[in-house]
Amino acid sequence: MALLVCLGDAPATAQPTIDFNNDIRPIFAKHCTSCHGGVKQAGDISFVYRDQVLPPNGWIVEPGNSDESLLIERVLESDPELRMPPAEHGPALPQHEIDLLTQWIDQGAKWQTSHWAYEAPTSPALPEVSDPNWIRDPIDRFVMERLDADGLQPSPDADPERWLRRVSLDLIGLPPTLEQLDAFCISYAESPETAKQEAVDRLLQSPAFGERWASVWLDQVRYADSKGLGADGRRSVWKYRDWVIDSLNSDLPFDQFTIKQIAGDLLPNPTMEDRIATAAHRLTQSNEEGGTDDEEFRVAAVLDRVNTTWQTWQGVTFGCVQCHSHPYDPFRHEEYYQFAAFFNNTTDCDLNEDWPVAAAPLDKQQYAQASDLDRQIDRLKERIWEQEFQLLSNKSLWRPIVEMTATSNNQTQLEVNRFDDRAEFQTVGTVSRNTDITLTASLPDDMTKLTAIRLTAMPLQPSKAIDDSEWGFVISSIDARLVDHEGKLSEELKIESLLIDEPDPFYDPQLSLDPKSNRGFAAYSRINHPRQAALILSSPAKVPPGAQLQVTLKHRVYLLAAFSLITRRGDLAVSDADQFTNSLHEESLAARRDELATLQKKRAAIRSVSVPVMQELPQHLSRSTHVFERGLFLTKGEQVSAGTPQSLPPLPEGPANRLTLAKWLASDTNPLTARVAVNRFWSQLFGIGIVATEEDFGSSGELPSHPELLDYLAVRFQTEHRWSVKALLREIVLSRTYGQAAKVSEELLRRDPENRLLARGPRYRLPSETVRDQALALAGLMSDKQFGPPVHPPIPAGVWQPFQSGDRWEVAKQDSPDRHRRSIYTYIKRSIPYPMFAAFDTPSREFCAPRRLRSNTPLQALMMLNDQTFAECIDALAQRMRDADDELANQIRYGYRLVTCRPATEEDVQVLVSLANETRSDSEADGLQSVAAVLLNLDEVVMK
């Protein structure tokens, strides 16, 4: 009897170990963190951070003693004024959650410092399952383990025709041809596994693979062919889209795919492809409207890059940390701006011109040649600049001007301030357009010759501008002369060239010497630091006694109708050193300049298109980064340096720049990158991710349906597959899980409507691009032309009403291959989405879109029945059916199998024959157009 009592009591006393991440953290996130989180920390309590809950700093939980823990006391409180959460914030905790908290505390209140997603994935042991014979690969073991736990059985294998259609649409976004279907069925009858493997390998090698999967990536990086916001003008960035397609087709490892997009320009000897890849972060929106602040939208672009990087590669809602610490996850406010510092020192601004750009050859075969020439040109420019910059920055060669007057040709007011070592001019009040500033300076008494003049242009408030930039300047023209004490011309000074303080300026500074140009030496469009340019005389000028120097700065550039780019403050210095004029004829410099001119001529001969790319500022012109108080860029707090959140692994060794950041993202130690990527690919194949909230792997996101499977795939993606996307997809689509039939019983649909348990094959509506591309392929209209500028298929009248009249939608002619190109090549304008894409849930690409939410609306049916492209597909499919056979019933059988990949039943054939007979007309004698319209709109055609 005692033994029986013992055995009976054991289960009652044994309690399962409470897991903090799975059991407790979700309770805190649901009930507590709105008042005690990362933003609001009522009572100095935050359930995001351990040290504010547990001893020695925390005081609301006593590990091992729930009776003495204030947390349990307050959730059990009957007084509504004292109970937590308060009545106005929601109902009291249910008993089972209170029990979990109590058991957790009594078991020692073990706090996992990180949410599950912030801990590095480890490869789990393969589980034992009830039916090993069903297993085809390890994926199936993890799926069956969950099915066993829920008392479910997997579905039988899908029919071979169904499987081939499914995998074809998934991997290349196109249905199989009848020839491919017949060959597969013959091979499948001999060896099912071999047939599937060969089919998958063929699909992965198809050039259509990259075209199908590129759209998934372009959603993440908010790719569009327009700039967004007000004017939404065209942007030439299609070379980046082509790079993505090429990278996917060549199976560029995902870690390299990441590094090149984040920091391809910083790689040693970057190739043309490396530079084009960085356009991923030049897809930010820009504002061309009049009166907008360039710096405001530059900052907005920088923050968008931060948010996009986190959403795309880390699957975390990091964007809310712009204004405050994260409400649910361990990311503090200042860490957002530490991360932003990685992107804050690129040369791009909110400009119409999209500078900086790379000249990408139209012919990809010339990429290597162009890259080699660009490297040679860049090295020569750098060497020439370094030699010249030594002269510009050598203080011993310059003598500052200490007496000066300043006048303008219009209402712009100027004043001159005298300091101990120099005189400075500056504008007073508002400035006028087209201002000429004339500076008349007394030269040093002992100066008898003049070889160079140095202009230092400064912000109006130099110390403040380091953190809050001012509008810059463009010196459209500059000239200098010597005058006598009465201001009469003594000698016009011939300026041979300008030396400036940066190696790769936006405008060519030598244009300041061309009276026909409005461009030249500039701080475009903002200025943080003083800028310098030296005017080198073609030969030394003799300085007569009492002569004065007169320099005129002409400004002809203004932005957005409101902002004149004028030199607001500055000073002059002069030199009589022979090094300046000697530099014009110095043999090594002259030889380098000649070589540079030759190389530039060769490069210009390669037909190219401009692509906006990333480029770093020179170190001496770098910007500072500050915390924005409450997220407002005008309210700057403490200065920060580049870094990543402390709750995640540290940066690898190296300078804290974008390249180091890219390596951090692609590191095996980063807990999120591989998981997020694997989950995204899984979602595309099954319709929903292992983590359903693809955009949020954090504490407020959903827990993974199969956590061990996710970690298994993530670790395998990094190690065995070596970041190969094709190898990962191959493993998934060859699994027994993927190959199940999609038929669902009422009971299974009730228990698992979203197929989270994976007891059946995937079935959901195809994405917009695949819906359109499938119709074109089935109709025999699809062009196999790849790459190139975006195309303009037919759209309904009245849709195209752009703000800029010059942005025209030129519909390709009927005989043009551009009329029926794959959807990936369609022109994407953010403010006027392509109607068919909008109807089928394609995002507008204004911001990162981690996942598409599928809808089911009448507009979709109306689109497929009435859109011009689908009408042309219906006509072409009807003609294919006519050409297949002379008998109507056989024509219908051919068309039915073509679109569904399965034979039609005799009942289906008779129904469609009746439809054809009922709808035939004088213009359409066989009624096959109506049949074709029905076939293309069948549920099983639009669904996978």
Side-chain angles (χ1 to χ4, degrees):
M1 179 68 74
L3 178 62
L4 289 176
V5 171
C6 248
L7 291 174
D9 288 345
T13 57
Q15 290 186 341
T17 300
I18 304 303
D19 182 86
F20 178 77
N21 273 335
N22 290 334
D23 301 320
I24 304 303
R25 195 186 294 272
I27 297 175
F28 289 162
K30 180 180 178 182
H31 299 289
C32 309
T33 51
S34 60
C35 294
H36 306 284
V39 184
K40 186 179 178 182
Q41 299 185 9
D44 293 326
I45 298 171
S46 170
F47 285 95
V48 174
Y49 304 105
R50 180 194 185 282
D51 60 0
Q52 291 178 255
V53 176
L54 299 175
N57 298 321
W59 45 272
I60 63 170
V61 166
E62 290 293 333
N65 193 344
S66 59
D67 292 338
E68 296 297 324
S69 294
L70 181 62
L71 173 64
I72 301 302
E73 178 185 330
R74 296 300 290 274
V75 298
L76 289 173
E77 178 64 56
S78 58
D79 185 346
E81 296 293 326
L82 298 176
R83 192 204 77 201
M84 290 293 167
E88 63 268 22
H89 287 281
L93 267 63
Q95 187 59 47
H96 75 276
E97 290 185 347
I98 296 175
D99 291 343
L100 285 172
L101 291 173
T102 302
Q103 293 173 40
W104 172 65
I105 295 172
D106 288 339
Q107 290 176 7
K110 294 180 181 178
W111 185 293
Q112 289 169 275
T113 56
S114 295
H115 177 56
W116 69 267
Y118 306 137
E119 295 182 349
T122 56
S123 187
L126 298 182
E128 297 295 327
V129 295
S130 61
D131 184 7
N133 293 327
W134 185 78
I135 305 303
R136 186 169 293 144
D137 69 13
I139 291 174
D140 302 326
R141 285 191 172 274
F142 293 105
V143 172
M144 175 156 274
E145 179 189 35
R146 179 69 191 271
L147 294 178
D148 288 344
D150 284 75
L152 296 173
Q153 294 293 321
S155 296
D157 291 348
D159 294 337
E161 299 92 341
R162 293 278 191 178
W163 181 89
L164 183 64
R165 179 176 183 270
R166 176 189 298 170
V167 77
S168 296
L169 290 171
D170 275 340
L171 293 185
I172 66 172
L174 299 172
T177 65
L178 289 181
E179 293 76 16
Q180 292 168 345
L181 185 62
D182 291 338
F184 175 75
C185 289
I186 293 172
S187 179
Y188 187 89
E190 297 175 358
S191 173
E193 297 309 309
T194 301
K196 287 185 174 184
Q197 291 170 8
E198 291 176 347
V200 169
D201 291 340
R202 171 181 59 80
L203 293 168
L204 291 174
Q205 293 306 311
S206 169
F209 173 84
E211 293 174 321
R212 179 268 186 267
W213 285 92
S215 62
V216 178
W217 186 255
L218 298 184
D219 279 358
Q220 312 301 316
V221 295
R222 64 312 193 209
Y223 173 88
D225 298 297
S226 68
K227 299 179 182 179
L229 298 176
D232 198 22
R234 286 190 176 238
R235 173 180 283 157
S236 175
V237 74
W238 53 270
K239 276 287 183 180
Y240 168 76
R241 175 249 290 151
D242 288 357
W243 176 84
V244 172
I245 296 171
D246 263 341
S247 298
L248 291 167
N249 279 334
S250 64
D251 201 19
L252 179 69
F254 189 78
D255 58 341
Q256 294 303 309
F257 186 69
T258 296
I259 290 170
K260 290 176 185 292
Q261 292 182 84
I262 299 292
D265 58 312
L266 300 181
L267 290 170
N269 299 316
T271 65
M272 180 58 63
E273 290 91 336
D274 293 339
R275 297 192 67 203
I276 291 173
T278 66
H281 273 323
R282 293 300 312 282
L283 297 168
T284 45
Q285 300 185 76
S286 59
N287 198 332
E288 302 169 340
E289 293 183 89
T292 57
D293 186 349
D294 168 78
E295 178 66 2
E296 177 182 357
F297 288 95
R298 185 197 71 82
V299 169
V302 168
L303 302 189
D304 182 36
R305 288 165 192 163
V306 172
N307 301 341
T308 298
T309 298
W310 277 85
Q311 284 275 262
T312 300
W313 278 278
Q314 304 292 273
V316 172
T317 55
F318 199 60
C320 62
V321 192
Q322 175 184 344
C323 299
H324 45 66
S325 294
H326 201 289
Y328 312 111
D329 292 315
F331 303 129
R332 300 185 184 273
H333 184 40
E334 61 273 14
E335 291 177 334
Y336 182 89
Y337 295 95
Q338 291 171 357
F339 199 88
F342 287 111
F343 297 97
N344 194 35
N345 274 298
T346 55
T347 56
D348 58 281
C349 295
D350 187 56
L351 307 177
N352 298 354
E353 296 90 344
D354 270 335
W355 183 81
V357 296
L362 293 175
D363 183 356
K364 288 187 292 185
Q365 301 301 317
Q366 294 181 297
Y367 276 8
Q369 178 190 2
S371 296
D372 183 58
L373 286 171
D374 286 342
R375 280 192 291 270
Q376 294 182 61
I377 289 170
D378 290 344
R379 280 196 294 265
L380 269 175
K381 280 184 174 180
E382 187 74 22
R383 288 174 185 171
I384 293 170
W385 177 78
E386 285 175 353
Q387 196 166 344
E388 293 177 339
F389 186 63
Q390 288 178 2
L391 297 175
L392 176 64
S393 57
N394 189 340
K395 294 181 180 180
S396 66
L397 299 179
W398 296 102
R399 303 176 69 177
I401 295 295
V402 295
E403 292 186 9
M404 178 170 58
T405 61
T407 60
S408 75
N409 64 328
N410 52 28
Q411 291 82 8
T412 299
Q413 299 297 309
L414 294 153
E415 67 180 20
V416 175
N417 296 308
R418 173 73 183 271
F419 298 92
D420 291 339
D421 60 341
R422 70 191 187 284
E424 283 185 4
F425 72 90
Q426 69 177 59
T427 61
V428 179
T430 58
V431 295
S432 302
R433 288 185 185 177
N434 303 325
T435 292
D436 296 349
I437 296 176
T438 300
L439 306 174
T440 304
S442 297
L443 294 168
D445 293 338
D446 60 346
M447 179 169 278
T448 58
K449 69 176 181 180
L450 182 64
T451 59
I453 306 163
R454 187 181 70 186
L455 168 68
T456 301
M458 294 178 279
L460 202 57
Q461 302 181 62
S463 59
K464 184 179 179 183
I466 294 174
D467 297 329
D468 293 290
S469 66
E470 299 177 6
W471 283 103
F473 64 87
V474 178
I475 299 179
S476 301
S477 177
I478 189 169
D479 57 61
R481 64 194 64 82
L482 293 176
V483 298
D484 60 22
H485 65 282
E486 295 180 354
K488 294 180 180 179
L489 178 64
S490 172
E491 180 183 356
E492 193 76 39
L493 299 177
K494 184 178 180 182
I495 303 169
E496 185 69 21
S497 69
L498 269 68
L499 311 183
I500 67 164
D501 56 359
E502 62 175 326
D504 189 22
F506 178 59
Y507 289 142
D508 181 359
Q510 308 308 322
L511 292 176
S512 291
L513 306 179
D514 183 357
K516 297 180 181 179
S517 172
N518 282 342
R519 306 295 186 245
F521 174 52
Y524 189 80
S525 63
R526 310 289 293 196
I527 182 170
N528 294 85
H529 301 274
R531 303 295 310 281
Q532 291 185 326
L535 286 58
I536 310 303
L537 276 58
S538 57
S539 60
K542 183 178 180 180
V543 179
Q548 293 182 306
L549 173 66
Q550 194 172 84
V551 177
T552 300
L553 313 176
K554 298 181 179 181
H555 307 89
R556 298 292 181 269
V557 176
Y558 55 89
L559 290 180
L560 305 175
F563 306 105
S564 296
L565 300 187
I566 292 175
T567 311
R568 303 295 184 100
R569 182 173 181 172
D571 62 47
L572 294 175
V574 292
S575 180
D576 56 6
D578 293 329
Q579 289 97 315
F580 292 101
T581 47
N582 290 343
S583 70
L584 299 174
H585 312 290
E586 200 268 322
E587 288 187 9
S588 63
L589 267 177
R592 286 173 179 169
R593 291 190 186 105
D594 290 343
E595 184 182 359
L596 178 61
T598 300
L599 291 172
Q600 289 174 326
K601 185 175 181 181
K602 287 182 181 179
R603 183 63 172 89
I606 300 176
R607 294 180 62 237
S608 302
V609 62
S610 293
V611 182
V613 294
M614 297 286 271
Q615 180 176 304
E616 290 292 281
L617 286 168
Q619 183 62 36
H620 65 283
L621 298 179
S622 63
R623 303 183 185 95
S624 60
T625 302
H626 291 257
V627 173
F628 296 165
E629 295 180 2
R630 297 184 178 271
L632 180 63
F633 90 104
L634 294 174
T635 310
K636 293 182 173 62
E638 64 173 316
Q639 185 172 342
V640 296
S641 56
T644 51
Q646 290 186 0
S647 55
L648 293 176
L651 285 168
E653 292 186 4
N657 59 18
R658 279 187 290 116
L659 183 56
T660 305
L661 171 65
K663 293 176 179 178
W664 177 79
L665 287 170
S667 168
D668 289 349
T669 63
N670 188 305
L672 288 163
T673 304
R675 280 183 174 129
V676 170
V678 163
N679 191 64
R680 181 177 300 129
F681 294 123
W682 186 276
S683 174
Q684 289 296 314
L685 297 174
F686 287 91
I688 190 168
I690 297 174
V691 176
T693 52
E694 295 177 57
E695 70 284 356
D696 190 1
F697 273 56
S699 300
S700 58
E702 287 196 23
L703 293 172
S705 59
H706 298 74
E708 292 83 7
L709 173 59
L710 180 63
D711 280 6
Y712 165 80
L713 289 173
V715 173
R716 189 164 169 79
F717 185 42
Q718 294 171 305
T719 54
E720 284 89 344
H721 293 326
R722 299 189 178 184
W723 298 94
S724 167
V725 171
K726 287 187 176 182
L728 173 69
L729 293 175
R730 186 181 191 274
E731 179 176 9
I732 296 174
V733 299
L734 287 175
S735 67
R736 198 74 178 265
T737 300
Y738 177 84
Q740 295 176 96
K743 186 176 181 180
V744 57
S745 66
E746 290 187 7
E747 172 64 15
L748 185 56
L749 184 62
R750 182 187 65 79
R751 291 187 60 181
D752 187 19
E754 293 184 314
N755 197 23
R756 301 302 309 282
L757 303 179
L758 301 169
R760 61 185 186 274
R763 177 170 171 78
Y764 55 90
R765 203 246 306 134
L766 296 169
S768 59
E769 295 89 346
T770 307
V771 171
R772 180 177 177 274
D773 292 348
Q774 176 182 239
L776 289 171
L778 294 175
L781 292 178
M782 176 169 286
S783 166
D784 59 3
K785 179 181 176 182
Q786 287 193 298
F787 309 123
V791 297
H792 305 84
I795 58 174
V799 168
W800 195 253
Q801 299 290 334
F803 182 81
Q804 293 181 336
S805 59
D807 186 9
R808 298 181 179 178
W809 189 277
E810 301 284 356
V811 178
K813 304 297 182 184
Q814 283 284 359
D815 58 350
S816 170
D818 288 346
R819 189 178 182 91
H820 299 129
R821 297 279 302 280
R822 285 204 70 167
S823 297
I824 191 68
Y825 301 112
T826 300
Y827 177 66
I828 301 296
K829 189 176 183 70
R830 284 166 161 143
S831 58
I832 310 178
Y834 182 58
M836 186 268 164
F837 291 174
F840 282 85
D841 309 315
T842 301
S844 65
R845 301 272 177 82
E846 293 171 282
F847 303 100
C848 170
R851 60 171 167 158
R852 297 184 185 183
L853 300 177
R854 285 180 293 274
S855 66
N856 186 5
T857 71
L859 282 177
Q860 295 165 358
L862 290 170
M863 181 67 65
M864 293 193 67
L865 288 168
N866 297 284
D867 180 78
Q868 179 65 33
T869 296
F870 285 101
E872 293 173 6
C873 289
I874 289 169
D875 290 343
L877 176 59
Q879 188 59 49
R880 287 192 74 179
M881 294 162 68
R882 291 188 194 99
D883 295 340
D885 201 283
D886 294 331
E887 184 182 344
L888 178 59
N890 288 337
Q891 291 170 343
I892 290 173
R893 290 187 181 93
Y894 171 85
Y896 197 97
R897 185 163 184 255
L898 177 67
V899 301
T900 65
C901 293
R902 69 176 177 86
T905 65
E906 284 307 307
E907 181 182 359
D908 291 334
V909 173
Q910 292 307 313
V911 169
L912 293 173
V913 166
S914 299
L915 174 66
N917 291 329
E918 291 171 3
T919 57
R920 68 176 53 187
S921 62
D922 293 338
S923 60
E924 209 262 313
D926 54 15
L928 282 177
Q929 277 186 309
S930 298
V931 173
V934 168
L935 291 178
L936 287 181
N937 282 272
L938 287 174
D939 179 71
E940 68 177 289
V941 174
V942 182
M943 303 284 284
K944 183 174 76 170

